[in-house]
Amino acid sequence: MAFTLLVNGVEHRVEVASEATLLNVLRDNLGLTGAKYGCGEGQCGACTVLVDGSPVRSCRMHVGAAAGKNIITIEGLAKDGSLHPVQQAFLEFEAFQCGYCTPGMILSAAALLQRTPHPSREQIITHMNGNVCRCGAYLRIIEAVQHAASPGKRTTHATAS
């Protein structure tokens, strides 16, 4: 079947089986490999992308359900050559170790800050709960999100997670 997807502001027409997942189409058909295959069950968040501004597990969304919606992947988050504030904060706070979960974490955090510009620590923890970091960098991730929400206010920088 043919589907038209709007990904990172660019319209793409793909011919795939109707049961194809958005994750597979992004990676295999469009070459956007930032979203990662993790559990395949929508439980780890490695495949998170934004669909109409909300974090979605792309391994669980069929491509037909994504057609006609605005899809943002980690490759499309930066604008005009500048990193998104969450991306910049993740770098500054070294909020990753292996990096496998990082695209999903960043996109989830960006969606949170879009809806709640200055979330509490508890709101960050609750919102990010569905994203798994196998390396355990959670403290640095929380601090990076706090910093992205209030860039003028320096939060504690963790040196170990």
Side-chain angles (χ1 to χ4, degrees), residues 89-90 93 95 105 119-126 128 137-149 155-156:
F90 265 62
F93 282 77
M105 291 280 189
S120 68
R121 181 179 178 84
E122 292 74 28
Q123 287 173 309
I124 294 168
I125 291 168
T126 298
M128 301 297 290
Y138 293 112
L139 180 58
R140 294 187 309 231
I141 291 165
I142 293 165
E143 290 174 343
V145 176
Q146 287 176 312
H147 181 70
T155 55
T156 306

mmCIF file of all heavy atoms in Angstrom, residues 89-90 93 95 105 119-126 128 137-149 155-156:
data_model
loop_
_atom_site.group_PDB
_atom_site.id
_atom_site.type_symbol
_atom_site.label_atom_id
_atom_site.label_comp_id
_atom_site.label_asym_id
_atom_site.label_seq_id
_atom_site.Cartn_x
_atom_site.Cartn_y
_atom_site.Cartn_z
ATOM 1 N N ALA A 89 21.324 20.395 26.453
ATOM 2 C CA ALA A 89 21.446 20.057 27.875
ATOM 3 C C ALA A 89 21.951 18.628 28.061
ATOM 4 O O ALA A 89 22.754 18.362 28.962
ATOM 5 C CB ALA A 89 20.105 20.253 28.577
ATOM 6 N N PHE A 90 21.507 17.697 27.212
ATOM 7 C CA PHE A 90 21.994 16.319 27.315
ATOM 8 C C PHE A 90 23.506 16.279 27.087
ATOM 9 O O PHE A 90 24.213 15.526 27.762
ATOM 10 C CB PHE A 90 21.268 15.409 26.324
ATOM 11 C CG PHE A 90 20.089 14.679 26.900
ATOM 12 C CD1 PHE A 90 18.999 15.376 27.399
ATOM 13 C CD2 PHE A 90 20.055 13.299 26.956
ATOM 14 C CE1 PHE A 90 17.909 14.714 27.935
ATOM 15 C CE2 PHE A 90 18.972 12.618 27.491
ATOM 16 C CZ PHE A 90 17.892 13.329 27.989
ATOM 17 N N PHE A 93 25.257 17.972 30.249
ATOM 18 C CA PHE A 93 25.148 17.185 31.470
ATOM 19 C C PHE A 93 25.575 15.730 31.289
ATOM 20 O O PHE A 93 25.434 14.942 32.206
ATOM 21 C CB PHE A 93 23.709 17.256 32.013
ATOM 22 C CG PHE A 93 23.438 18.547 32.738
ATOM 23 C CD1 PHE A 93 23.215 19.715 32.032
ATOM 24 C CD2 PHE A 93 23.458 18.592 34.121
ATOM 25 C CE1 PHE A 93 22.992 20.908 32.690
ATOM 26 C CE2 PHE A 93 23.236 19.783 34.792
ATOM 27 C CZ PHE A 93 23.002 20.947 34.070
ATOM 28 N N ALA A 95 24.229 13.359 29.765
ATOM 29 C CA ALA A 95 23.038 12.616 30.184
ATOM 30 C C ALA A 95 22.829 11.353 29.351
ATOM 31 O O ALA A 95 21.720 11.043 28.932
ATOM 32 C CB ALA A 95 21.814 13.525 30.123
ATOM 33 N N MET A 105 14.696 9.496 24.745
ATOM 34 C CA MET A 105 14.678 10.325 25.952
ATOM 35 C C MET A 105 14.539 11.800 25.580
ATOM 36 O O MET A 105 13.728 12.527 26.157
ATOM 37 C CB MET A 105 15.970 10.140 26.767
ATOM 38 C CG MET A 105 16.128 8.813 27.421
ATOM 39 S SD MET A 105 15.172 8.749 28.940
ATOM 40 C CE MET A 105 15.767 7.213 29.613
ATOM 41 N N PRO A 119 8.521 22.158 34.217
ATOM 42 C CA PRO A 119 8.008 21.051 35.031
ATOM 43 C C PRO A 119 8.792 20.892 36.331
ATOM 44 O O PRO A 119 9.977 21.227 36.405
ATOM 45 C CB PRO A 119 8.216 19.834 34.128
ATOM 46 C CG PRO A 119 9.418 20.198 33.313
ATOM 47 C CD PRO A 119 9.281 21.683 33.065
ATOM 48 N N SER A 120 8.119 20.351 37.315
ATOM 49 C CA SER A 120 8.794 20.002 38.566
ATOM 50 C C SER A 120 9.614 18.736 38.334
ATOM 51 O O SER A 120 9.420 18.022 37.343
ATOM 52 C CB SER A 120 7.763 19.754 39.665
ATOM 53 O OG SER A 120 7.021 18.580 39.370
ATOM 54 N N ARG A 121 10.496 18.456 39.251
ATOM 55 C CA ARG A 121 11.292 17.223 39.175
ATOM 56 C C ARG A 121 10.367 16.003 39.122
ATOM 57 O O ARG A 121 10.599 15.077 38.347
ATOM 58 C CB ARG A 121 12.222 17.152 40.386
ATOM 59 C CG ARG A 121 13.113 15.934 40.414
ATOM 60 C CD ARG A 121 14.014 15.964 41.655
ATOM 61 N NE ARG A 121 14.836 14.791 41.735
ATOM 62 C CZ ARG A 121 16.004 14.624 41.121
ATOM 63 N NH1 ARG A 121 16.482 15.593 40.364
ATOM 64 N NH2 ARG A 121 16.677 13.507 41.258
ATOM 65 N N GLU A 122 9.304 16.036 39.918
ATOM 66 C CA GLU A 122 8.357 14.921 39.947
ATOM 67 C C GLU A 122 7.640 14.772 38.603
ATOM 68 O O GLU A 122 7.408 13.654 38.140
ATOM 69 C CB GLU A 122 7.337 15.115 41.077
ATOM 70 C CG GLU A 122 7.930 14.993 42.474
ATOM 71 C CD GLU A 122 8.792 16.215 42.882
ATOM 72 O OE1 GLU A 122 8.546 17.346 42.392
ATOM 73 O OE2 GLU A 122 9.733 16.013 43.674
ATOM 74 N N GLN A 123 7.284 15.897 37.979
ATOM 75 C CA GLN A 123 6.644 15.832 36.660
ATOM 76 C C GLN A 123 7.597 15.242 35.625
ATOM 77 O O GLN A 123 7.182 14.470 34.760
ATOM 78 C CB GLN A 123 6.171 17.223 36.220
ATOM 79 C CG GLN A 123 4.967 17.718 36.966
ATOM 80 C CD GLN A 123 4.645 19.159 36.611
ATOM 81 O OE1 GLN A 123 5.510 20.042 36.649
ATOM 82 N NE2 GLN A 123 3.382 19.403 36.264
ATOM 83 N N ILE A 124 8.862 15.603 35.701
ATOM 84 C CA ILE A 124 9.856 15.058 34.771
ATOM 85 C C ILE A 124 9.963 13.551 34.968
ATOM 86 O O ILE A 124 9.905 12.783 34.001
ATOM 87 C CB ILE A 124 11.238 15.734 34.965
ATOM 88 C CG1 ILE A 124 11.166 17.205 34.577
ATOM 89 C CG2 ILE A 124 12.315 14.996 34.153
ATOM 90 C CD1 ILE A 124 12.378 18.017 34.993
ATOM 91 N N ILE A 125 10.091 13.122 36.206
ATOM 92 C CA ILE A 125 10.230 11.697 36.496
ATOM 93 C C ILE A 125 9.008 10.932 36.008
ATOM 94 O O ILE A 125 9.134 9.889 35.354
ATOM 95 C CB ILE A 125 10.472 11.469 38.001
ATOM 96 C CG1 ILE A 125 11.860 11.997 38.375
ATOM 97 C CG2 ILE A 125 10.328 9.994 38.370
ATOM 98 C CD1 ILE A 125 12.111 12.095 39.864
ATOM 99 N N THR A 126 7.828 11.453 36.287
ATOM 100 C CA THR A 126 6.594 10.781 35.863
ATOM 101 C C THR A 126 6.513 10.698 34.348
ATOM 102 O O THR A 126 6.215 9.645 33.781
ATOM 103 C CB THR A 126 5.361 11.522 36.420
ATOM 104 O OG1 THR A 126 5.423 11.470 37.845
ATOM 105 C CG2 THR A 126 4.070 10.886 35.937
ATOM 106 N N MET A 128 8.938 10.864 32.103
ATOM 107 C CA MET A 128 10.020 10.089 31.496
ATOM 108 C C MET A 128 9.995 8.622 31.927
ATOM 109 O O MET A 128 10.813 7.827 31.469
ATOM 110 C CB MET A 128 11.379 10.710 31.870
ATOM 111 C CG MET A 128 11.551 12.155 31.444
ATOM 112 S SD MET A 128 11.510 12.414 29.674
ATOM 113 C CE MET A 128 13.051 11.670 29.214
ATOM 114 N N ALA A 137 21.659 6.254 33.596
ATOM 115 C CA ALA A 137 22.023 7.678 33.643
ATOM 116 C C ALA A 137 20.854 8.567 34.062
ATOM 117 O O ALA A 137 20.816 9.748 33.739
ATOM 118 C CB ALA A 137 22.561 8.117 32.279
ATOM 119 N N TYR A 138 19.914 8.028 34.804
ATOM 120 C CA TYR A 138 18.682 8.741 35.123
ATOM 121 C C TYR A 138 18.900 10.077 35.822
ATOM 122 O O TYR A 138 18.242 11.059 35.496
ATOM 123 C CB TYR A 138 17.744 7.866 35.953
ATOM 124 C CG TYR A 138 17.219 6.680 35.203
ATOM 125 C CD1 TYR A 138 17.603 5.392 35.554
ATOM 126 C CD2 TYR A 138 16.353 6.844 34.125
ATOM 127 C CE1 TYR A 138 17.124 4.297 34.858
ATOM 128 C CE2 TYR A 138 15.873 5.750 33.428
ATOM 129 C CZ TYR A 138 16.261 4.487 33.802
ATOM 130 O OH TYR A 138 15.784 3.408 33.100
ATOM 131 N N LEU A 139 19.796 10.141 36.789
ATOM 132 C CA LEU A 139 20.027 11.389 37.513
ATOM 133 C C LEU A 139 20.477 12.492 36.555
ATOM 134 O O LEU A 139 19.964 13.603 36.581
ATOM 135 C CB LEU A 139 21.059 11.189 38.629
ATOM 136 C CG LEU A 139 21.388 12.428 39.453
ATOM 137 C CD1 LEU A 139 20.131 13.001 40.116
ATOM 138 C CD2 LEU A 139 22.432 12.099 40.511
ATOM 139 N N ARG A 140 21.420 12.164 35.674
ATOM 140 C CA ARG A 140 21.901 13.161 34.705
ATOM 141 C C ARG A 140 20.813 13.535 33.705
ATOM 142 O O ARG A 140 20.741 14.682 33.258
ATOM 143 C CB ARG A 140 23.147 12.638 33.999
ATOM 144 C CG ARG A 140 24.320 12.487 34.962
ATOM 145 C CD ARG A 140 25.599 12.143 34.237
ATOM 146 N NE ARG A 140 25.428 11.012 33.340
ATOM 147 C CZ ARG A 140 26.206 9.942 33.325
ATOM 148 N NH1 ARG A 140 27.203 9.842 34.168
ATOM 149 N NH2 ARG A 140 25.996 8.968 32.473
ATOM 150 N N ILE A 141 19.961 12.573 33.348
ATOM 151 C CA ILE A 141 18.853 12.858 32.424
ATOM 152 C C ILE A 141 17.885 13.842 33.064
ATOM 153 O O ILE A 141 17.495 14.838 32.441
ATOM 154 C CB ILE A 141 18.145 11.548 32.007
ATOM 155 C CG1 ILE A 141 19.069 10.719 31.112
ATOM 156 C CG2 ILE A 141 16.810 11.835 31.330
ATOM 157 C CD1 ILE A 141 18.650 9.276 30.922
ATOM 158 N N ILE A 142 17.526 13.599 34.302
ATOM 159 C CA ILE A 142 16.607 14.500 35.001
ATOM 160 C C ILE A 142 17.215 15.892 35.106
ATOM 161 O O ILE A 142 16.554 16.903 34.848
ATOM 162 C CB ILE A 142 16.256 13.940 36.400
ATOM 163 C CG1 ILE A 142 15.435 12.666 36.257
ATOM 164 C CG2 ILE A 142 15.506 14.982 37.234
ATOM 165 C CD1 ILE A 142 15.336 11.852 37.539
ATOM 166 N N GLU A 143 18.486 15.960 35.471
ATOM 167 C CA GLU A 143 19.154 17.253 35.590
ATOM 168 C C GLU A 143 19.228 17.976 34.249
ATOM 169 O O GLU A 143 19.064 19.198 34.178
ATOM 170 C CB GLU A 143 20.540 17.081 36.186
ATOM 171 C CG GLU A 143 20.484 16.679 37.653
ATOM 172 C CD GLU A 143 21.846 16.366 38.243
ATOM 173 O OE1 GLU A 143 22.807 16.132 37.466
ATOM 174 O OE2 GLU A 143 21.944 16.337 39.477
ATOM 175 N N ALA A 144 19.455 17.245 33.185
ATOM 176 C CA ALA A 144 19.505 17.866 31.856
ATOM 177 C C ALA A 144 18.143 18.444 31.483
ATOM 178 O O ALA A 144 18.059 19.561 30.953
ATOM 179 C CB ALA A 144 19.955 16.843 30.813
ATOM 180 N N VAL A 145 17.083 17.716 31.759
ATOM 181 C CA VAL A 145 15.737 18.214 31.446
ATOM 182 C C VAL A 145 15.433 19.440 32.299
ATOM 183 O O VAL A 145 14.889 20.436 31.803
ATOM 184 C CB VAL A 145 14.668 17.112 31.628
ATOM 185 C CG1 VAL A 145 13.272 17.668 31.386
ATOM 186 C CG2 VAL A 145 14.953 15.940 30.693
ATOM 187 N N GLN A 146 15.798 19.414 33.576
ATOM 188 C CA GLN A 146 15.602 20.580 34.433
ATOM 189 C C GLN A 146 16.351 21.785 33.875
ATOM 190 O O GLN A 146 15.819 22.893 33.844
ATOM 191 C CB GLN A 146 16.091 20.293 35.858
ATOM 192 C CG GLN A 146 15.209 19.365 36.639
ATOM 193 C CD GLN A 146 15.798 19.037 37.998
ATOM 194 O OE1 GLN A 146 16.982 18.692 38.120
ATOM 195 N NE2 GLN A 146 14.964 19.133 39.030
ATOM 196 N N HIS A 147 17.569 21.561 33.427
ATOM 197 C CA HIS A 147 18.370 22.660 32.876
ATOM 198 C C HIS A 147 17.755 23.191 31.579
ATOM 199 O O HIS A 147 17.708 24.403 31.368
ATOM 200 C CB HIS A 147 19.814 22.212 32.637
ATOM 201 C CG HIS A 147 20.675 23.290 32.095
ATOM 202 N ND1 HIS A 147 21.069 24.384 32.840
ATOM 203 C CD2 HIS A 147 21.190 23.477 30.862
ATOM 204 C CE1 HIS A 147 21.797 25.189 32.091
ATOM 205 N NE2 HIS A 147 21.890 24.661 30.883
ATOM 206 N N ALA A 148 17.288 22.295 30.722
ATOM 207 C CA ALA A 148 16.664 22.735 29.469
ATOM 208 C C ALA A 148 15.417 23.564 29.747
ATOM 209 O O ALA A 148 15.104 24.493 28.999
ATOM 210 C CB ALA A 148 16.312 21.530 28.598
ATOM 211 N N ALA A 149 14.722 23.258 30.841
ATOM 212 C CA ALA A 149 13.517 24.002 31.211
ATOM 213 C C ALA A 149 13.853 25.371 31.797
ATOM 214 O O ALA A 149 13.063 26.308 31.678
ATOM 215 C CB ALA A 149 12.688 23.204 32.218
ATOM 216 N N THR A 155 21.519 23.819 37.456
ATOM 217 C CA THR A 155 21.166 22.720 38.368
ATOM 218 C C THR A 155 22.436 21.956 38.679
ATOM 219 O O THR A 155 23.462 22.131 38.033
ATOM 220 C CB THR A 155 20.126 21.781 37.724
ATOM 221 O OG1 THR A 155 20.625 21.323 36.487
ATOM 222 C CG2 THR A 155 18.801 22.478 37.521
ATOM 223 N N THR A 156 22.384 21.100 39.666
ATOM 224 C CA THR A 156 23.531 20.294 40.041
ATOM 225 C C THR A 156 23.929 19.407 38.887
ATOM 226 O O THR A 156 23.091 18.806 38.249
ATOM 227 C CB THR A 156 23.171 19.408 41.261
ATOM 228 O OG1 THR A 156 22.669 20.251 42.284
ATOM 229 C CG2 THR A 156 24.376 18.648 41.748
#
